[in-house]
Amino acid sequence: MSQISLSGIHKSFGSTEVLKGVSLDIEAGEFVTLVGPSGCGKSTLLRILAGLDSADTGDVRIQAQSVTQTRAADRNLAMVFQSYALYPHLSVAENMMTPLKMRELGWAGRLPIVGPLVARRACRDIHARVEAVAETLKITPLLARKPGQLSGGQRQRVALGRAMVRDPVAFLMDEPLSNLDAALRVHMRAELSELHRRLNATFVYVTHDQAEALTMSDRMAVMMQGEILQVGPPDEIYHNPASLAVARFIGSPAINVLPGEKLADGRVVLLGQRLFNVQSGQPRALFIGLRPEHLHLAAEGRFEGMISHRENLGSDLFLHLTLKEMDNPVVIRAHPDQARNVARGHNVRFDLDPAKVLFFEADGQRVTLDGARQLEVAQ
Amino acid sequence: MSQISLSGIHKSFGSTEVLKGVSLDIEAGEFVTLVGPSGCGKSTLLRILAGLDSADTGDVRIQAQSVTQTRAADRNLAMVFQSYALYPHLSVAENMMTPLKMRELGWAGRLPIVGPLVARRACRDIHARVEAVAETLKITPLLARKPGQLSGGQRQRVALGRAMVRDPVAFLMDEPLSNLDAALRVHMRAELSELHRRLNATFVYVTHDQAEALTMSDRMAVMMQGEILQVGPPDEIYHNPASLAVARFIGSPAINVLPGEKLADGRVVLLGQRLFNVQSGQPRALFIGLRPEHLHLAAEGRFEGMISHRENLGSDLFLHLTLKEMDNPVVIRAHPDQARNVARGHNVRFDLDPAKVLFFEADGQRVTLDGARQLEVAQ
Amino acid sequence: EDKIVVEFGYPYSHLFDVTYEKILPKFYEQHPNIEIKMRATYESYEDGTNTILREAVAGTLPDVTMQGLNRQAILVEKGIAKSLEPFIAKEADFAKDGYHKAMLDLGTFGDDVYGLPFSISLPVGYYNMEVMAKAGYDETNLPTTWSEVVEACGKLREAGVDNPMFWGWNITGNWFLQALMWSQDKPTVEGNDFQLDTPEGLTALNTMKDIFSGCEMQNLEWKAALASFSAGDLGMMYWSTSAVGAVERAMGDFTLVTSEYPGLDEKGPMGLPAGGNSALMVSTSEDPAELEAAWAWLKFITSGEGAADVARTTGYMPPNQAANEIILKDFYADNPAKATAVRQLPLLREWQAYPGDNGLAATQVIYDGLEGIVTGEYSDMTELQEELTEEVQDLLK
Amino acid sequence: MTEAVADTKALALRFSTKTALTHAVLILGALIVLLPFYTMLSLSLKAPAEIMQQTGGFIGTQAPFRDDYCIKLGKEVADCMVNPIAYNYSTAFEKAPLLRYLLNGVVVTVSIFFIQVVVALPCAYALAKLRFWGREFVFTLVLFCLLIPVHAIALPLYIMLAKVGLTNTYAALIIPWTISVFGIFLMRQFFMTVPDDLIDAARMDGMSEYAIIWRVMLPTAIPALMAFGIFSVVAHWNDYFWPRIVITGNRDLFTPPLGLREFKGDADGDNFGPMMATACIIVTPLIVCFLLAQRRFIEGITLSGMK
Amino acid sequence: MIKSHAHIWFIGPALVLMTVILLIPILIAMGLSVTDYSLGNMGAEFVGFENYEKIFTRSAYEKMFGATFRYVFVVVPLTVGLGLGSALLIHSLGRFGDIYKTIYFLPVMAALIAMAIVWEFAFHPTIGVINSTLERGCGTWLELWTWYAKGCERSFPLWLQDRDYAIWTVSFIGVWQGFGFNMVLYLAGLTSIPRSLYDAAEMDGAKRGWDRFRLVTWPLLGPTTVFVVTISFIRSFQVFDMVEAFYPQGGGPSKSVFVMMFAIYEKGIQQNLMGIGAAITVVFLAFVMVLTLIQRWLVERRTHYA
Ligand SMILES: Nc1ncnc2c1ncn2[C@@H]1O[C@H](COP(=O)(O)OP(=O)(O)OP(=O)(O)O)[C@@H](O)[C@H]1O
Ligand SMILES: Nc1ncnc2c1ncn2[C@@H]1O[C@H](COP(=O)(O)OP(=O)(O)OP(=O)(O)O)[C@@H](O)[C@H]1O
Ligand SMILES: O=P(O)(O)OC[C@@H](O)CO
Ligand SMILES: [Mg+2]
Ligand SMILES: [Mg+2]
């Protein structure tokens, strides 16, 4: 039985349907990412799982128990918020103690001054646990500070710490990195992954940054407009997207989409060039998806374009090529060493790796063309 | 004569010195980026240039005129703020009109209702210009809306539009993309570059995101702790950093820094392996910088590490290797196709591209070792 | 043994605290088993009456209360005040204690006595002799009629006194209107009829108008008037004798003389309304011992030594002939300013209240009308007479 | 270059004249504002004659004068000569038992504020952060109640209190003010600005809604609470109307402003010196409180999200 | 939120108290307003709308509306204007600001009853500080002003007792007493305006202070202004203490300061005519409500809520 199971979740705010029947199963110990553009309903789904919102219809199960009627405080989930939501008036240590105090001390133990005296043992225990977590997160020197005196990354860690002191069924995180600066974000990605491995706990992670989703998750669920379009391991999603929407959203720079067609005789044609042959059949128009790294500059390449923009990241060089036949530029990844030879305005030739070509129907559905792989690639 | 020239700018807030004598020349039409970690003084410098703050000492010259005593409104610079700072009560069109109205209409023309009657011609002219800019930025349908009704990307464009309606000496931008989501940020990068080309205007751009700096700028200035460490074209900064600090800040994932040494006989040794020989001389300890993309997995590589973490971005695969000899992992860029063969916990061997090795002194200063390049690489 | 507690309420603590402080030890000496509990003082007579009305509704009435003479009627009408007849009947030599008829009349309603007057005031004239001297007046030739007052104003003004006189039209309960009416021996109300529509009424109004315009009198509020007089700005001031203490305390370095209230003609006023307050029994107690104790207190303060202390500590006269004539003889000799009112005692008349629920509203209507004369809002007195009569009569019906 | 230097000077000059002008205007305003306080303080230092004649400047001559009250009680004149300042202030404390009144004032204002907070905070929280049926209606009711003038309902209230026998008690002074619609309104506006995430975080941490109010909302709302506190305390500390109506029996329950009436003689002359001394004493604690609270107090009145 | 009834416990006490303390008395007042009840009487008779009729026909009540509206329409704009003005000036200062802030807030904190007495002294026609200051200007160029010359010749006005001046004098004191309250609210509003908007305005060429005010300050103070104006309206409609302190009898010279709250007090409490008092209360509430609604409607259309 899976650890967490959402089935048929519907949710509307007023007349707008924000979630349109979402189902998702999450196994114990898994790191699952919900990724999708802003406003697609990720946070709403997470909040329904947490018990902070309630679904209109649908069922939420945690460890095989239906919790649809259980309030957030009783679901034993921990959540890290995008804004961190630290209590501004409490010190870091007190922030981290709060969930324990609330759950483990009686009302007397929670009193401001007498509390520690009444529930001596429990308090000492709580202190010890907070210190242990602080040690893990390397925030021990900060324990006495108030959140206002911390930097973004430090706050992020405290928010994590507050979630970690308990032993929740799962950690829910709503864009926990989006308030950090670029360098720190990259760094924290690795830290979070490491944490997940060490705790061996279930993580449900919401983000709109596909890089985070790709690098951290065991499985990712791509959401758009209130629906989950595809669920799978990052590799699968990246290389084998189920639809054009998924393909477009995942990958940076975004996948190039070019108009192609399959002719009646089985030839698949892109911009007038035959890519390969497949079994003959109904002729049809196709969208052809090609990721920038699957295109390469080649002196005798079959396609030609004019360099309209260069992005040199040092480690990579992205060239935006304007093609005669197309409005949108095609983005190609080149080796930075080639930078010297390619300036804006130059015409260059390029070719593609036919094995990596993705086909989509006009409605965005991914299709595989029978026999495509077997055919010899035309030079 | 350069368009903008900052020389010897010092600035302290209270007892903390935020700018420690910064000098920078910017040519007409250039896109110059100030990049550096949070809190290093970028915004302060930009505000001093804009005239919103004043320097303690130092001179600001615009088009060869000292403007140190000129107030912001008279410097004819346009600025895009990180928070966009759109007037929340004015429509998009009115927001964009404001700088023109303030500069070109008398008090009568600025009156709410009678204004347009009094200064009929001027008003019509202003309207026309705003519409033209809106057209360029593709925000014509939004002109009647209030900022509150716009998405982040749309606001960003309006803020740009407000700067563009005039013909300023330079555009100043303070982290204009940092409030956008990941995908939009990548997209806007290209748009900004395109805009710069089209306007052919001077841009001074502040960011802490090295990717933005690398992809957009003609030249970038790396700032740290109130000082400019290095100024140069992105390529130069990336491949030829003047110091360890610059090398560490630019590049993602960050450069690997390993301890090495030069022996008295001229051998340069990294982790016990000879890299190559240089002219003999004083033995010395060195830091050796190696970017992830200059390391590669190789069955017979001279170095060995255990894979502690994998980041698969689909287009790239970053492996974090733990080496016996080192605390920090070494990050290596591998081809995603290799992903299947390398799992966490595996031991792998790797090697490096000796031509790309960077050397730094113990104090972080970059050094070139005489003769290093000429020497045959030991296999 | 428990003491019997009598709860007692009175107005103007600043004025009367000292009086009771003097009386209490003497009372306790005679009645060791009674304790007087002082309630929060009333801020003014109106406040006192309203407080009693509220307390009647709330059921928290004191045993004895001091009420302005013109406010007794309303409490009697509403059945809050108790008739004192049963207690008087038991007293052997009540008359001998000095309660003479004129005084008792002030608190008699129907055939029963309800209130025993405590402190009595009459209107008098206050003169700053230094200012008066500028116009050639001395103690012997002070004005005795209102036309002489107006004349004096003219002279004073010529002598450079900007602000020669103040006349207390604004004293609560239309006291000075009633003074002008009584001066002609005419009550202001008879039964349910407002008497302003009589020739006497018109005379009263015209007299006021003459005084105000003839003296170009400023519309001063009492505190401002007292300040002006104390500062030596005013030459003449017509007010209640109760203020003698306050004036003496506050006045500058000049000679103060009080003199009889002027009349409409040389004969002087034929009557004057009594001001001040009287003691009413409002106890809701059924216990005869308590009622007896309340009566004992009530009687003590309105007679003999108790009453005499009123004069000794305030500008008021005691209500009690005996006190005035026997006990206080020397006192008046030493305090001539306070003696004026005593000389006017024979003129004492009732300070009338307007009957019915709307009585206070009627008082206000008249007040507003009088103010209109001062502020110049009304210049035709006949018109004002008609207007006021109509409106007040409407309220009284 | 010289031009630039001249420019600098002009700029600096412009700046300083502008600030100087600002100060000039503000000082003029301050003088007008302070005039009555100057008078109040001055009157509290002078002898009765000096007060009524408006002589003696700010502190008067301080020549001893004769205390009538003392004379009337039959003491010797020599024993009754008093110094004005000593007389005014000692009378304020002795005659009016001002200390007792001040204590009452503290008891009453603190109780009122405490109960107002206990009642208003949960309500404001519910109106700002909970979604429930009838919320708009309740809020409209709050806005309507904001319009009700207390003076207009004083008598019905008095009768209601009398019916349950509460007149002449602390309760009578406190109960009518236990509900502060202004407080609900102000706190709601502030709570609207508290991020929802913070409340959700508290829920995840296992707090009940009740705990959220006292453990999260209250501490974050301290500045707003101070603002509300100042308004509430000022209003009830200085209230003259209501205590006068309900406290008719026991002088021991007087609040400080009622102390002022001890010196009222109305048509027969007020005793201004002690009265003004009392007034000075009454206002002092408030000024001290304001000075202590003002920083956070102004931050607290957040009106964004007003609607 | 999973089915929680917490809100019932949260708004319950407030709702109950609101009903018992505010709404029931108002309902009682409405009931009394159609009777002739007088305190101390056993019962009361139903008189229909007679009380209301009186309000709208008797001349005293005409004066009541006149005085109320004069007061409100002087005091509201001035307290709001001065509150804003002083807040702006103080806000621009940085240092020293705290001193002015405290001074200007003093009148809000002082007991009005004591201040009323002080003002009476200050406004005393001859020895008051106001007129004696004015007199000092006699014989100077100020006499060119005919009003001034007249004052010098005879005497300066009796500010509080002259029916032409009283309401304005009282309004002045109302402004004196109230603008500090608004100042504090505006200061709070000012601190919450993002600095970056001023920077943007400066970059856009708003050089003069007035331009920045028009472009940024005033619009962003919109919500504050709505609040301040609403509260000022309510407060000045409810003005009472001061009138009662100055004119316990009758509401000022020729009833020129006979404001509605005082009328309610005079009828209901001073004269025991609770029926009429209640009727005025009802009219008062209706007025304030209508005005508040109109005012909100007017302002709301021009205010943005960021
Ligand atoms: N309380 C609410 N009332 C009305 N609409 C809401 C509410 N909460 C969310 N929405 C709407 O529901 C949609 C989904 O919101 P949600 O916050 O789940 O998006 P998201 O995927 O988390 O976006 P982001 O990445 O920007 O956080 C949005 O269009 C939002 O406007
Ligand atoms: N008004 C001020 N008063 C005091 N210190 C300030 C002020 N403004 C900035 N600082 C300090 O000056 C330093 C530099 O600030 P600045 O805003 O220029 O940094 P930055 O490089 O723009 O950082 P970021 O990327 O976070 O915007 C910071 O340490 C900041 O705390
Ligand atoms: O105030 P009293 O006690 O003198 O009574 C009212 C009139 O006598 C005027 O003073
Ligand atoms: Mg979200
Ligand atoms: Mg910055």
Side-chain angles (χ1 to χ4, degrees), chain A residues 47 50 52-53 71 73 77 79 81 83 85-89 98-99 102-103 110 162 166, chain D residues 131 195-209 211 215-217 219-220:
Chain A
R47 291 169 54 80
L52 296 169
D53 265 334
R71 33 177 297 184
L77 298 167
M79 187 151 168
F81 294 83
S83 59
L86 300 175
Y87 306 116
H89 56 290
T98 305
M102 286 296 145
R103 276 156 215 278
R110 295 210 293 263
R162 186 171 59 174
R166 325 193 257 132
Chain D
R131 267 172 280 146
D196 287 337
D197 272 2
L198 197 61
I199 295 160
D200 285 339
R203 290 190 182 126
M204 295 300 292
D205 282 350
M207 288 192 200
S208 66
E209 295 296 310
R215 291 179 167 266
V216 180
M217 300 309 269
T220 41

Side-chain angles (χ1 to χ4, degrees), chain D residues 26-296:
Chain D
L26 284 171
I27 288 173
L28 187 73
L31 287 182
I32 296 175
V33 167
L34 285 178
L35 176 84
F37 292 93
Y38 170 88
T39 313
M40 177 172 86
L41 193 62
S42 163
L43 294 187
S44 81
L45 304 174
K46 305 208 293 192
E50 289 166 341
I51 293 173
M52 291 310 284
Q53 299 161 39
Q54 302 273 299
T55 54
F58 177 64
I59 58 162
T61 57
Q62 293 303 319
F65 71 97
R66 218 182 49 183
D67 174 12
D68 279 353
Y69 197 99
C70 167
I71 301 270
K72 283 171 184 170
L73 285 177
K75 305 233 178 75
E76 286 301 315
V77 175
D79 296 339
C80 289
M81 295 306 284
V82 286
N83 167 278
I85 295 182
Y87 168 78
N88 291 340
Y89 281 87
S90 68
T91 311
F93 277 105
E94 283 162 18
K95 179 114 182 315
L98 195 53
L99 274 182
R100 168 84 209 201
Y101 297 172
L102 289 171
L103 187 73
N104 289 339
V106 171
V107 170
V108 169
T109 47
V110 169
S111 315
I112 288 177
F113 181 55
F114 179 77
I115 301 176
Q116 281 179 341
V117 168
V118 170
V119 173
L121 232 53
C123 182
Y125 170 70
L127 288 178
K129 290 291 178 192
L130 300 182
R131 267 172 280 146
F132 56 88
W133 185 86
R135 183 172 80 160
E136 286 310 305
F137 173 75
V138 175
F139 188 57
T140 312
L141 214 58
V142 167
L143 291 180
F144 173 74
C145 286
L146 213 52
L147 306 178
I148 297 178
V150 284
H151 306 104
I153 55 171
L155 273 184
L157 259 184
Y158 174 84
I159 294 170
M160 283 162 66
L161 284 170
K163 290 284 179 242
V164 284
L166 283 179
T167 49
N168 291 310
T169 59
Y170 278 128
L173 289 171
I174 295 168
I175 288 175
W177 311 110
T178 49
I179 180 75
S180 165
V181 278
F182 180 74
I184 295 177
F185 185 65
L186 193 75
M187 294 313 288
R188 171 187 175 268
Q189 298 312 115
F190 186 83
F191 284 164
M192 300 273 274
T193 67
V194 174
D196 287 337
D197 272 2
L198 197 61
I199 295 160
D200 285 339
R203 290 190 182 126
M204 295 300 292
D205 282 350
M207 288 192 200
S208 66
E209 295 296 310
Y210 218 74
I212 290 176
I213 296 178
W214 305 118
R215 291 179 167 266
V216 180
M217 300 309 269
L218 180 72
T220 41
I222 290 288
L225 211 62
M226 271 177 158
F228 173 38
I230 292 260
F231 292 143
S232 165
V233 166
V234 163
H236 298 116
W237 181 263
N238 286 332
D239 189 18
Y240 184 64
F241 179 81
W242 183 251
R244 193 169 56 153
I245 292 207
V246 286
I247 303 302
T248 57
N250 195 347
R251 272 200 223 198
D252 285 347
L253 292 175
F254 271 21
T255 54
L258 289 190
L260 292 168
R261 91 200 270 185
E262 304 273 356
F263 308 106
K264 281 195 93 160
D266 211 41
D268 308 301
D270 295 347
N271 197 1
F272 292 106
M275 194 182 227
M276 290 299 125
T278 308
C280 290
I281 295 163
I282 293 176
V283 76
T284 313
L286 289 183
I287 296 177
V288 172
C289 286
F290 179 76
L291 285 176
L292 291 179
Q294 70 161 331
R295 227 336 116 50
R296 309 196 61 189

Side-chain angles (χ1 to χ4, degrees), chain A residues 39 42-44 82 174-175 206:
Chain A
K42 307 178 296 288
S43 297
T44 309
Q82 175 175 2
D174 194 353
E175 311 196 4
V206 162

Side-chain angles (χ1 to χ4, degrees), chain A residues 31-254:
Chain A
F31 193 127
V32 170
T33 306
L34 292 172
V35 63
S38 199
C40 71
K42 307 178 296 288
S43 297
T44 309
L45 187 62
L46 198 71
R47 291 169 54 80
I48 287 173
L49 167 55
L52 296 169
D53 265 334
S54 58
D56 296 339
T57 62
D59 194 28
V60 180
R61 294 177 159 265
I62 296 179
Q63 296 180 319
Q65 298 277 321
S66 172
V67 293
T68 318
Q69 295 306 326
T70 313
R71 33 177 297 184
D74 300 326
R75 291 196 185 183
N76 196 21
L77 298 167
M79 187 151 168
V80 178
F81 294 83
Q82 175 175 2
S83 59
Y84 312 141
L86 300 175
Y87 306 116
H89 56 290
L90 299 181
S91 71
V92 167
E94 288 163 332
N95 260 288
M96 289 170 65
M97 267 177 226
T98 305
L100 295 177
K101 279 193 181 169
M102 286 296 145
R103 276 156 215 278
E104 302 181 5
L105 296 185
W107 66 268
R110 295 210 293 263
L111 289 178
I113 296 157
V114 274
L117 302 174
V118 178
R120 204 111 165 240
R121 180 104 56 75
C123 276
R124 214 175 299 148
D125 176 47
I126 288 177
H127 270 279
R129 274 148 76 193
V130 165
E131 266 157 35
V133 170
E135 200 65 53
T136 322
L137 291 170
K138 306 196 188 76
I139 49 174
T140 313
L142 310 177
L143 283 177
R145 292 210 207 154
K146 293 271 169 80
Q149 300 165 302
L150 302 179
S151 75
Q154 292 169 332
R155 284 183 212 186
Q156 217 279 334
R157 268 180 223 150
V158 176
L160 266 176
R162 186 171 59 174
M164 280 166 59
V165 285
R166 325 193 257 132
D167 188 33
V169 175
F171 290 91
L172 314 184
M173 309 198 180
D174 194 353
E175 311 196 4
L177 304 184
S178 67
N179 278 346
L180 303 181
D181 70 25
L184 195 52
R185 211 152 43 211
V186 173
H187 174 77
M188 286 305 294
R189 260 173 16 201
E191 274 204 12
L192 272 180
S193 289
E194 168 63 21
L195 191 71
H196 172 237
R197 269 197 297 277
R198 209 169 49 230
L199 296 179
N200 205 5
T202 314
F203 277 49
V204 185
Y205 188 99
V206 162
T207 181
H208 56 233
D209 184 342
Q210 45 97 27
E212 285 174 24
L214 287 168
T215 51
M216 294 195 288
S217 13
D218 294 325
R219 281 194 305 148
M220 55 198 270
V222 182
M223 275 188 81
M224 266 172 218
Q225 293 174 347
E227 282 173 305
I228 292 187
L229 298 185
Q230 189 174 2
V231 187
D235 229 40
E236 171 85 13
I237 303 272
Y238 189 84
H239 294 293
N240 211 359
S243 65
L244 195 51
V246 173
R248 271 206 165 115
F249 189 74
I250 302 296
S252 167

